[in-house]
Amino acid sequence: MSNLLVINSSANTGASVSRILIEETVSRALEAAPNTAVVRRDLGSNPVPHLTTANLAGVRGTPATEEEFAARALSDELIAELRAAGTIVIAAPMYNFSVPTSLRAWFDFVLRAGETFRYSEAGPEGLLKGKKVIVLTSRGGLYSEGPGAAADFQEPYLRHLLGFIGITDVTFIHAEKIGYGPEARDAAIAGAKTEIARVARTFSTVAA
């Protein structure tokens, strides 16, 4: 049985394009592989706490306080979900040219030395190789090409973070120009759904 980890990061629980696309992806994945076990993590409604002086040692050091032990337990839980997944689907709306802080906080808790990466004489090495990631982005403007590409601090950033923990099989599906009006928004969603349908055919061959 394959395992699918679904990560929402939109703060918008209403007409969120990224939430529409992630549900489309889950639906298509289950069509392709009905026995898939789906684990959901909604960072918009149930955010991971940001690292602070009170909890930092729980992730980046040796926990000693109650808050630090709570941070370590959450980090362990999130890393276990990540390890168990054969495929990870991340819905990442563009906020101020990058990712929501909720998604950044999730990465802060799962990028942990000795667990998801390690340092060697050759440099850092990712420990979560062999996984597939699909990133669904929603963007008000056009950033995948043209002048706006220089302001895309979203896709390069996510590729680097995922690569740092050993995940290099990453597919981005962009719904762009959704801020240009209802017709442009509908066209962006339709285009993204077409691409999701194509990519989701591979789910039946992906196993944890």
Side-chain angles (χ1 to χ4, degrees):
M1 178 187 295
S2 60
N3 295 309
L4 178 65
L5 176 60
V6 178
I7 300 172
N8 264 307
S9 64
S10 175
N12 181 4
T13 58
S16 165
V17 170
S18 66
R19 287 182 181 273
I20 291 171
L21 297 181
I22 208 165
E23 292 309 318
E24 177 75 10
T25 305
V26 171
S27 176
R28 292 284 187 173
L30 291 175
E31 286 178 6
N35 292 328
T36 297
V38 180
V39 175
R40 292 178 179 268
R41 190 53 80 163
D42 194 328
L43 305 175
S45 60
N46 186 25
V48 172
H50 291 286
L51 292 179
T52 67
T53 55
N55 65 16
L56 179 66
V59 180
R60 303 290 179 87
T62 302
T65 69
E66 182 177 346
E67 194 162 355
E68 289 167 354
F69 277 111
R72 174 59 61 90
L74 177 57
S75 176
D76 288 343
E77 180 181 351
L78 297 174
I79 290 171
E81 290 176 352
L82 195 51
R83 281 200 185 108
T87 301
I88 302 101
V89 180
I90 301 173
M94 179 180 274
Y95 289 178
N96 295 320
F97 310 105
S98 187
V99 300
T101 59
S102 61
L103 185 55
R104 168 59 191 269
W106 181 83
F107 274 108
D108 284 343
F109 271 69
V110 300
L111 268 70
R112 207 168 103 202
E115 297 293 335
T116 55
F117 72 93
R118 67 184 175 191
Y119 291 108
S120 68
E121 293 183 359
E125 176 190 0
L127 301 177
L128 298 181
K129 299 179 177 70
K131 299 182 183 299
K132 179 182 182 64
V133 174
I134 298 171
V135 181
L136 309 163
T137 77
S138 53
R139 301 165 160 192
L142 178 63
Y143 299 95
S144 59
E145 60 184 57
D152 179 4
F153 303 106
Q154 183 186 48
E155 180 174 339
Y157 177 64
L158 290 173
R159 282 193 185 278
H160 182 77
L161 289 178
L162 293 166
F164 192 77
I165 57 177
I167 303 174
T168 56
D169 185 356
V170 184
T171 300
F172 278 80
I173 298 176
H174 300 297
E176 299 191 285
K177 300 173 72 173
I178 63 174
Y180 283 46
E183 291 185 3
R185 180 181 183 276
D186 290 345
I189 292 173
K193 284 184 175 182
T194 297
E195 186 64 11
I196 287 167
R198 183 188 68 80
V199 172
R201 297 190 190 104
T202 65
F203 276 81
S204 59
T205 63
V206 175

Coordinates of all heavy atoms in Angstrom, one line a residue, residues 121-208:
E121 N 31.9 14.5 5.8 CA 33.1 15.1 5.3 C 32.8 15.7 3.9 O 33.5 16.7 3.5 CB 34.2 14.2 5.2 CG 34.7 13.7 6.6 CD 35.9 12.8 6.5 OE1 36.3 12.5 5.3 OE2 36.4 12.4 7.5
A122 N 31.9 15.2 3.2 CA 31.5 15.7 1.8 C 30.5 16.8 1.8 O 30.1 17.3 0.8 CB 31.1 14.5 0.9
G123 N 30.0 17.1 3.1 CA 29.0 18.1 3.2 C 27.7 17.5 3.6 O 27.6 16.3 4.0
P124 N 26.6 18.3 3.6 CA 25.3 17.8 4.1 C 24.7 16.7 3.1 O 24.9 16.8 1.9 CB 24.4 19.0 4.1 CG 25.0 20.0 3.2 CD 26.5 19.7 3.3
E125 N 24.1 15.7 3.7 CA 23.5 14.6 2.9 C 22.0 14.4 3.4 O 21.7 14.2 4.6 CB 24.2 13.3 3.1 CG 23.6 12.1 2.4 CD 24.2 10.8 2.8 OE1 25.2 10.8 3.6 OE2 23.7 9.8 2.3
G126 N 21.1 14.4 2.4 CA 19.7 14.2 2.8 C 19.4 12.7 3.0 O 20.0 11.9 2.4
L127 N 18.6 12.4 4.0 CA 18.3 11.1 4.4 C 16.9 10.5 4.0 O 16.6 9.4 4.4 CB 18.4 11.0 5.9 CG 19.8 11.4 6.5 CD1 19.8 11.3 8.0 CD2 20.9 10.5 6.0
L128 N 16.2 11.3 3.2 CA 14.8 10.9 2.8 C 14.8 10.7 1.3 O 13.8 11.2 0.7 CB 13.8 11.9 3.3 CG 13.7 12.1 4.8 CD1 12.6 13.1 5.1 CD2 13.4 10.8 5.5
K129 N 15.7 9.9 0.8 CA 15.7 9.7 -0.6 C 14.6 8.8 -1.1 O 14.1 8.0 -0.3 CB 17.1 9.1 -1.0 CG 18.3 10.0 -0.7 CD 19.6 9.3 -1.1 CE 20.8 10.2 -0.8 NZ 21.1 10.4 0.6
G130 N 14.3 8.8 -2.4 CA 13.4 7.9 -2.9 C 11.9 8.3 -2.8 O 11.0 7.5 -3.2
K131 N 11.6 9.5 -2.4 CA 10.2 10.0 -2.3 C 9.9 10.9 -3.4 O 10.8 11.5 -4.1 CB 10.0 10.7 -0.9 CG 10.3 9.8 0.3 CD 10.0 10.5 1.6 CE 10.3 9.6 2.7 NZ 9.5 8.3 2.8
K132 N 8.6 11.0 -3.7 CA 8.1 11.9 -4.7 C 7.3 13.0 -4.1 O 6.5 12.8 -3.2 CB 7.2 11.1 -5.7 CG 6.6 11.9 -6.8 CD 5.7 11.0 -7.7 CE 5.1 11.8 -8.9 NZ 6.1 12.3 -9.8
V133 N 7.5 14.2 -4.6 CA 6.7 15.4 -4.1 C 6.0 16.1 -5.2 O 6.6 16.3 -6.3 CB 7.6 16.4 -3.3 CG1 6.9 17.6 -2.9 CG2 8.2 15.7 -2.1
I134 N 4.8 16.4 -5.0 CA 4.0 17.3 -5.9 C 3.7 18.6 -5.2 O 3.1 18.5 -4.1 CB 2.8 16.6 -6.4 CG1 3.1 15.3 -7.2 CG2 1.9 17.6 -7.3 CD1 1.9 14.5 -7.5
V135 N 4.1 19.7 -5.7 CA 3.8 21.0 -5.1 C 2.8 21.7 -5.9 O 3.0 21.9 -7.1 CB 5.1 21.8 -4.9 CG1 4.8 23.2 -4.2 CG2 6.2 21.1 -4.1
L136 N 1.7 22.1 -5.3 CA 0.7 22.8 -6.0 C 0.7 24.3 -5.5 O 0.5 24.6 -4.4 CB -0.7 22.2 -5.6 CG -0.8 20.7 -5.9 CD1 -2.0 20.2 -5.1 CD2 -0.9 20.4 -7.3
T137 N 1.0 25.2 -6.4 CA 1.1 26.6 -6.1 C -0.1 27.4 -6.7 O -0.6 27.0 -7.7 CB 2.4 27.2 -6.5 OG1 2.3 27.5 -7.9 CG2 3.6 26.4 -6.2
S138 N -0.5 28.4 -5.9 CA -1.5 29.3 -6.5 C -0.9 30.7 -6.4 O -0.3 31.1 -5.3 CB -2.8 29.3 -5.7 OG -2.6 29.4 -4.3
R139 N -1.0 31.5 -7.5 CA -0.2 32.8 -7.6 C -1.1 33.8 -8.2 O -1.8 33.6 -9.2 CB 1.0 32.6 -8.4 CG 2.0 31.5 -7.8 CD 3.0 31.1 -8.8 NE 4.2 30.5 -8.2 CZ 5.3 30.3 -8.8 NH1 5.5 30.6 -10.1 NH2 6.3 29.8 -8.2
G140 N -1.1 35.0 -7.6 CA -1.9 36.1 -8.1 C -1.4 36.6 -9.5 O -2.2 37.0 -10.3
G141 N -0.1 36.5 -9.7 CA 0.5 37.0 -11.0 C 1.1 35.8 -11.7 O 0.9 34.7 -11.4
L142 N 2.0 36.2 -12.7 CA 2.7 35.3 -13.5 C 4.2 35.3 -13.0 O 4.9 36.3 -13.2 CB 2.6 35.6 -15.0 CG 3.4 34.7 -15.9 CD1 2.8 33.3 -15.9 CD2 3.3 35.2 -17.4
Y143 N 4.7 34.2 -12.5 CA 6.0 34.1 -12.0 C 6.8 33.0 -12.5 O 8.0 32.9 -12.2 CB 6.0 34.0 -10.4 CG 5.3 35.2 -9.8 CD1 4.0 35.1 -9.5 CD2 6.0 36.4 -9.6 CE1 3.3 36.2 -8.9 CE2 5.4 37.5 -9.0 CZ 4.0 37.4 -8.7 OH 3.4 38.5 -8.1
S144 N 6.2 32.1 -13.3 CA 7.0 31.0 -13.8 C 7.8 31.4 -15.1 O 8.7 30.6 -15.5 CB 6.0 29.8 -14.2 OG 5.1 30.2 -15.2
E145 N 7.5 32.5 -15.6 CA 8.3 33.0 -16.8 C 8.1 34.5 -16.9 O 7.3 35.1 -16.2 CB 7.7 32.4 -18.1 CG 6.2 32.7 -18.3 CD 5.7 31.9 -19.5 OE1 5.8 30.7 -19.6 OE2 5.2 32.6 -20.4
G146 N 8.9 35.1 -17.8 CA 8.8 36.6 -18.0 C 9.4 37.3 -16.8 O 10.2 36.8 -16.0
P147 N 9.2 38.6 -16.8 CA 9.8 39.5 -15.8 C 9.5 39.1 -14.3 O 10.3 39.3 -13.4 CB 9.2 40.9 -16.0 CG 8.7 40.8 -17.5 CD 8.3 39.4 -17.7
G148 N 8.4 38.5 -14.1 CA 8.0 38.1 -12.7 C 8.8 37.0 -12.2 O 8.9 36.7 -11.0
A149 N 9.5 36.2 -13.0 CA 10.3 35.1 -12.6 C 11.4 35.4 -11.6 O 11.7 34.7 -10.7 CB 10.9 34.3 -13.8
A150 N 11.9 36.7 -11.7 CA 12.9 37.1 -10.8 C 12.4 37.3 -9.4 O 13.2 37.3 -8.4 CB 13.5 38.4 -11.3
A151 N 11.1 37.4 -9.2 CA 10.5 37.6 -7.9 C 9.9 36.3 -7.3 O 9.2 36.3 -6.3 CB 9.4 38.7 -8.0
D152 N 10.2 35.2 -8.0 CA 9.7 33.9 -7.5 C 10.7 33.4 -6.4 O 11.7 32.7 -6.8 CB 9.6 32.9 -8.6 CG 9.1 31.5 -8.2 OD1 8.8 31.4 -7.0 OD2 9.0 30.6 -9.0
F153 N 10.4 33.6 -5.2 CA 11.2 33.1 -4.1 C 10.5 31.9 -3.5 O 10.8 31.5 -2.3 CB 11.4 34.1 -3.0 CG 12.1 35.4 -3.6 CD1 11.3 36.5 -3.8 CD2 13.4 35.4 -4.0 CE1 11.9 37.7 -4.3 CE2 14.0 36.5 -4.5 CZ 13.2 37.7 -4.7
Q154 N 9.6 31.2 -4.2 CA 8.8 30.1 -3.8 C 9.3 28.8 -4.3 O 9.8 28.0 -3.5 CB 7.3 30.3 -4.2 CG 6.4 29.3 -3.7 CD 5.0 29.5 -4.3 OE1 4.9 29.7 -5.5 NE2 4.0 29.5 -3.5
E155 N 9.3 28.6 -5.6 CA 9.7 27.3 -6.2 C 11.2 27.0 -5.9 O 11.5 25.9 -5.4 CB 9.5 27.3 -7.7 CG 9.9 26.0 -8.3 CD 9.5 25.8 -9.7 OE1 8.6 26.4 -10.2 OE2 10.2 24.9 -10.4
P156 N 12.1 28.0 -6.1 CA 13.5 27.7 -5.8 C 13.8 27.3 -4.4 O 14.6 26.5 -4.0 CB 14.3 29.0 -6.2 CG 13.4 29.6 -7.2 CD 12.0 29.3 -6.7
Y157 N 13.1 28.1 -3.5 CA 13.2 27.8 -2.0 C 12.8 26.4 -1.7 O 13.5 25.7 -0.9 CB 12.4 28.9 -1.3 CG 12.4 28.8 0.2 CD1 13.6 28.9 0.9 CD2 11.2 28.6 0.9 CE1 13.5 28.8 2.3 CE2 11.2 28.5 2.2 CZ 12.3 28.6 3.0 OH 12.3 28.5 4.3
L158 N 11.6 26.0 -2.2 CA 11.1 24.7 -1.8 C 11.9 23.6 -2.4 O 12.1 22.6 -1.8 CB 9.6 24.6 -2.3 CG 8.6 25.4 -1.5 CD1 7.2 25.4 -2.2 CD2 8.5 25.0 -0.1
R159 N 12.4 23.8 -3.6 CA 13.3 22.8 -4.3 C 14.5 22.6 -3.4 O 15.0 21.5 -3.2 CB 13.6 23.2 -5.7 CG 12.6 23.0 -6.7 CD 13.1 23.1 -8.1 NE 12.1 23.0 -9.1 CZ 11.6 21.8 -9.6 NH1 12.1 20.7 -9.1 NH2 10.7 21.8 -10.5
H160 N 15.1 23.7 -2.9 CA 16.3 23.6 -2.1 C 16.0 22.9 -0.8 O 16.8 22.0 -0.4 CB 16.9 25.0 -1.9 CG 18.1 25.0 -1.1 ND1 19.3 24.6 -1.7 CD2 18.4 25.2 0.2 CE1 20.3 24.6 -0.8 NE2 19.8 25.0 0.4
L161 N 15.0 23.2 -0.1 CA 14.7 22.6 1.2 C 14.4 21.1 1.0 O 14.9 20.3 1.8 CB 13.5 23.3 1.8 CG 13.6 24.7 2.4 CD1 12.3 25.2 2.9 CD2 14.7 24.7 3.4
L162 N 13.6 20.8 0.0 CA 13.3 19.3 -0.2 C 14.6 18.6 -0.6 O 14.9 17.5 -0.2 CB 12.2 19.2 -1.3 CG 10.9 19.7 -0.9 CD1 9.9 19.8 -2.1 CD2 10.2 18.8 0.2
G163 N 15.4 19.2 -1.5 CA 16.6 18.6 -1.9 C 17.6 18.4 -0.8 O 18.4 17.4 -0.7
F164 N 17.6 19.3 0.2 CA 18.5 19.2 1.4 C 18.2 18.0 2.2 O 19.1 17.5 2.8 CB 18.3 20.5 2.2 CG 19.3 20.7 3.3 CD1 20.6 21.1 2.9 CD2 19.1 20.4 4.6 CE1 21.6 21.3 3.9 CE2 20.1 20.5 5.6 CZ 21.3 21.0 5.2
I165 N 17.0 17.5 2.2 CA 16.7 16.3 2.9 C 16.6 15.1 2.0 O 16.1 14.0 2.4 CB 15.4 16.4 3.8 CG1 14.2 16.8 2.9 CG2 15.6 17.4 4.9 CD1 12.8 16.9 3.7
G166 N 17.1 15.2 0.8 CA 17.2 14.1 -0.1 C 16.1 13.9 -1.1 O 16.1 12.9 -1.8
I167 N 15.1 14.8 -1.1 CA 14.0 14.6 -2.1 C 14.2 15.4 -3.3 O 14.1 16.7 -3.2 CB 12.7 15.0 -1.4 CG1 12.5 14.1 -0.1 CG2 11.5 14.7 -2.3 CD1 11.3 14.5 0.7
T168 N 14.5 14.8 -4.4 CA 14.8 15.5 -5.6 C 13.8 15.3 -6.7 O 13.8 16.0 -7.8 CB 16.2 15.1 -6.2 OG1 16.2 13.7 -6.3 CG2 17.3 15.5 -5.2
D169 N 12.9 14.3 -6.5 CA 11.8 14.0 -7.5 C 10.6 14.9 -7.1 O 9.7 14.5 -6.4 CB 11.4 12.6 -7.4 CG 10.4 12.2 -8.5 OD1 9.9 13.1 -9.2 OD2 10.0 11.0 -8.6
V170 N 10.7 16.2 -7.6 CA 9.7 17.2 -7.2 C 9.1 17.8 -8.5 O 9.7 18.2 -9.4 CB 10.4 18.3 -6.4 CG1 9.3 19.3 -6.0 CG2 11.1 17.8 -5.2
T171 N 7.7 17.7 -8.5 CA 6.9 18.3 -9.6 C 6.2 19.5 -9.1 O 5.4 19.4 -8.1 CB 6.0 17.2 -10.2 OG1 6.7 16.1 -10.7 CG2 5.1 17.8 -11.3
F172 N 6.3 20.6 -9.8 CA 5.5 21.8 -9.5 C 4.4 22.0 -10.5 O 4.6 21.8 -11.7 CB 6.4 23.0 -9.5 CG 7.2 23.2 -8.3 CD1 8.4 22.5 -8.1 CD2 6.8 24.1 -7.3 CE1 9.1 22.7 -6.9 CE2 7.5 24.3 -6.1 CZ 8.7 23.6 -5.9
I173 N 3.2 22.2 -10.0 CA 2.0 22.5 -10.8 C 1.5 23.9 -10.4 O 1.1 24.1 -9.2 CB 0.9 21.5 -10.7 CG1 1.4 20.1 -11.1 CG2 -0.3 21.9 -11.5 CD1 0.5 19.0 -10.9
H174 N 1.6 24.9 -11.2 CA 1.3 26.3 -10.9 C -0.1 26.7 -11.4 O -0.4 26.4 -12.6 CB 2.3 27.2 -11.5 CG 3.7 27.0 -11.0 ND1 4.1 27.1 -9.7 CD2 4.9 26.6 -11.7 CE1 5.4 26.9 -9.6 NE2 5.9 26.6 -10.8
A175 N -0.9 27.3 -10.6 CA -2.1 28.0 -11.0 C -1.8 29.5 -10.9 O -1.7 30.0 -9.8 CB -3.3 27.6 -10.1
E176 N -1.5 30.1 -12.0 CA -1.0 31.5 -12.0 C -2.1 32.5 -12.6 O -3.0 32.1 -13.2 CB 0.3 31.6 -12.8 CG 1.4 30.7 -12.2 CD 2.7 31.0 -12.8 OE1 2.9 30.6 -14.0 OE2 3.5 31.7 -12.1
K177 N -1.8 33.8 -12.3 CA -2.7 34.9 -12.7 C -4.1 34.8 -12.2 O -5.0 35.3 -12.8 CB -2.7 34.9 -14.3 CG -1.3 35.1 -14.9 CD -1.3 35.0 -16.4 CE -2.0 36.2 -17.0 NZ -1.8 36.2 -18.5
I178 N -4.2 34.2 -11.0 CA -5.6 34.1 -10.4 C -6.1 35.4 -9.9 O -7.3 35.6 -9.6 CB -5.6 33.0 -9.3 CG1 -4.7 33.4 -8.1 CG2 -5.2 31.7 -9.8 CD1 -4.8 32.5 -6.9
G179 N -5.2 36.4 -9.8 CA -5.6 37.7 -9.4 C -6.1 38.6 -10.5 O -6.4 39.8 -10.3
Y180 N -6.1 38.1 -11.7 CA -6.4 38.8 -12.9 C -7.9 38.9 -13.2 O -8.3 39.4 -14.2 CB -5.7 38.3 -14.1 CG -4.2 38.7 -14.2 CD1 -3.4 38.6 -13.1 CD2 -3.6 39.1 -15.3 CE1 -2.1 38.9 -13.1 CE2 -2.3 39.5 -15.4 CZ -1.5 39.4 -14.3 OH -0.2 39.7 -14.3
G181 N -8.7 38.3 -12.4 CA -10.2 38.3 -12.6 C -10.7 36.9 -12.6 O -10.0 35.9 -12.7
P182 N -12.1 36.7 -12.5 CA -12.7 35.4 -12.5 C -12.4 34.5 -13.6 O -12.1 33.3 -13.4 CB -14.2 35.7 -12.4 CG -14.3 37.1 -11.9 CD -13.0 37.8 -12.4
E183 N -12.3 35.0 -14.8 CA -12.0 34.2 -16.0 C -10.6 33.6 -15.9 O -10.4 32.4 -16.2 CB -12.3 34.9 -17.3 CG -13.7 35.2 -17.6 CD -13.9 35.9 -18.9 OE1 -12.9 36.1 -19.7 OE2 -15.1 36.2 -19.3
A184 N -9.7 34.5 -15.6 CA -8.3 34.1 -15.5 C -8.1 33.0 -14.4 O -7.4 32.0 -14.5 CB -7.4 35.3 -15.2
R185 N -8.8 33.2 -13.2 CA -8.8 32.3 -12.1 C -9.3 30.9 -12.6 O -8.7 29.9 -12.3 CB -9.6 32.8 -11.0 CG -9.6 32.0 -9.7 CD -10.5 32.6 -8.6 NE -10.5 31.9 -7.4 CZ -11.3 30.8 -7.1 NH1 -12.1 30.4 -8.1 NH2 -11.2 30.2 -6.0
D186 N -10.5 30.9 -13.2 CA -11.0 29.7 -13.7 C -10.1 28.9 -14.7 O -10.0 27.7 -14.6 CB -12.4 29.9 -14.3 CG -13.5 30.3 -13.4 OD1 -13.2 30.2 -12.1 OD2 -14.5 30.8 -13.8
A187 N -9.5 29.7 -15.5 CA -8.6 29.1 -16.5 C -7.4 28.5 -15.8 O -6.9 27.5 -16.2 CB -8.1 30.2 -17.5
A188 N -6.9 29.2 -14.8 CA -5.7 28.7 -14.1 C -6.0 27.4 -13.4 O -5.2 26.5 -13.4 CB -5.2 29.8 -13.1
I189 N -7.2 27.3 -12.7 CA -7.6 26.1 -12.0 C -7.8 25.0 -13.0 O -7.3 23.9 -12.8 CB -8.9 26.4 -11.3 CG1 -8.7 27.3 -10.1 CG2 -9.5 25.1 -10.7 CD1 -9.9 27.8 -9.4
A190 N -8.4 25.3 -14.2 CA -8.6 24.2 -15.2 C -7.3 23.7 -15.7 O -7.1 22.5 -15.9 CB -9.5 24.8 -16.3
G191 N -6.4 24.6 -16.0 CA -5.1 24.2 -16.5 C -4.3 23.3 -15.5 O -3.7 22.3 -15.8
A192 N -4.4 23.7 -14.2 CA -3.7 23.0 -13.2 C -4.4 21.6 -13.0 O -3.7 20.6 -12.8 CB -3.8 23.7 -11.8
K193 N -5.7 21.5 -13.1 CA -6.4 20.2 -12.9 C -6.0 19.3 -14.1 O -5.9 18.1 -13.9 CB -7.9 20.4 -12.9 CG -8.4 21.0 -11.6 CD -9.9 21.0 -11.6 CE -10.5 21.4 -10.2 NZ -12.0 21.5 -10.2
T194 N -5.8 19.8 -15.3 CA -5.4 19.0 -16.4 C -4.0 18.4 -16.1 O -3.7 17.2 -16.3 CB -5.3 19.8 -17.7 OG1 -6.6 20.2 -18.0 CG2 -4.8 19.0 -18.8
E195 N -3.1 19.2 -15.6 CA -1.8 18.7 -15.2 C -1.8 17.7 -14.1 O -1.1 16.8 -14.1 CB -0.9 19.9 -14.9 CG 0.6 19.6 -14.7 CD 1.3 19.1 -15.9 OE1 0.7 19.2 -17.0 OE2 2.4 18.6 -15.8
I196 N -2.7 18.0 -13.1 CA -2.8 17.0 -12.0 C -3.3 15.7 -12.5 O -2.7 14.6 -12.0 CB -3.8 17.6 -11.0 CG1 -3.2 18.8 -10.2 CG2 -4.3 16.5 -10.0 CD1 -4.2 19.6 -9.4
A197 N -4.2 15.6 -13.4 CA -4.7 14.4 -14.0 C -3.6 13.6 -14.6 O -3.5 12.4 -14.5 CB -5.8 14.6 -15.0
R198 N -2.7 14.3 -15.3 CA -1.5 13.7 -16.0 C -0.6 13.1 -14.9 O -0.2 11.9 -15.0 CB -0.8 14.7 -16.9 CG 0.3 14.1 -17.7 CD 1.1 15.1 -18.4 NE 1.9 16.0 -17.4 CZ 3.0 15.6 -16.8 NH1 3.5 14.4 -17.1 NH2 3.6 16.4 -16.0
V199 N -0.2 13.9 -13.9 CA 0.8 13.5 -12.9 C 0.2 12.4 -12.1 O 0.9 11.5 -11.7 CB 1.2 14.7 -12.1 CG1 2.0 14.3 -10.9 CG2 1.9 15.7 -13.0
A200 N -1.1 12.4 -11.7 CA -1.7 11.5 -10.8 C -1.7 10.0 -11.3 O -1.8 9.1 -10.6 CB -3.1 11.9 -10.5
R201 N -1.5 9.9 -12.6 CA -1.4 8.5 -13.2 C -0.3 7.7 -12.6 O -0.3 6.5 -12.6 CB -1.3 8.6 -14.7 CG -2.6 9.2 -15.4 CD -2.5 9.0 -16.9 NE -3.6 9.8 -17.5 CZ -3.3 10.9 -18.2 NH1 -2.1 11.4 -18.3 NH2 -4.3 11.6 -18.7
T202 N 0.8 8.4 -12.1 CA 1.9 7.7 -11.6 C 1.7 7.3 -10.2 O 2.5 6.5 -9.7 CB 3.2 8.7 -11.6 OG1 2.9 9.8 -10.7 CG2 3.4 9.2 -13.0
F203 N 0.6 7.7 -9.6 CA 0.4 7.3 -8.2 C 0.3 5.8 -8.0 O 0.7 5.2 -6.9 CB -0.8 8.0 -7.6 CG -0.6 9.4 -7.1 CD1 -0.5 10.4 -8.0 CD2 -0.4 9.6 -5.8 CE1 -0.3 11.7 -7.5 CE2 -0.2 10.9 -5.3 CZ -0.1 11.9 -6.2
S204 N -0.2 5.1 -9.0 CA -0.4 3.7 -8.8 C 0.9 2.9 -8.8 O 1.0 1.8 -8.4 CB -1.3 3.1 -10.0 OG -0.6 3.4 -11.2
T205 N 2.0 3.6 -9.2 CA 3.3 2.9 -9.2 C 4.2 3.4 -8.1 O 5.3 2.9 -8.0 CB 4.0 3.2 -10.5 OG1 4.3 4.6 -10.7 CG2 3.2 2.7 -11.7
V206 N 3.7 4.3 -7.2 CA 4.5 4.8 -6.1 C 4.2 4.1 -4.8 O 3.0 4.1 -4.5 CB 4.3 6.4 -6.0 CG1 5.1 6.9 -4.8 CG2 4.8 7.1 -7.2
A207 N 5.1 3.6 -4.2 CA 4.9 2.9 -2.9 C 5.9 3.5 -1.8 O 7.0 3.9 -2.2 CB 5.1 1.4 -3.0
A208 N 5.4 3.5 -0.6 CA 6.3 4.0 0.5 C 7.4 3.0 0.7 O 7.3 1.8 0.5 CB 5.5 4.2 1.7

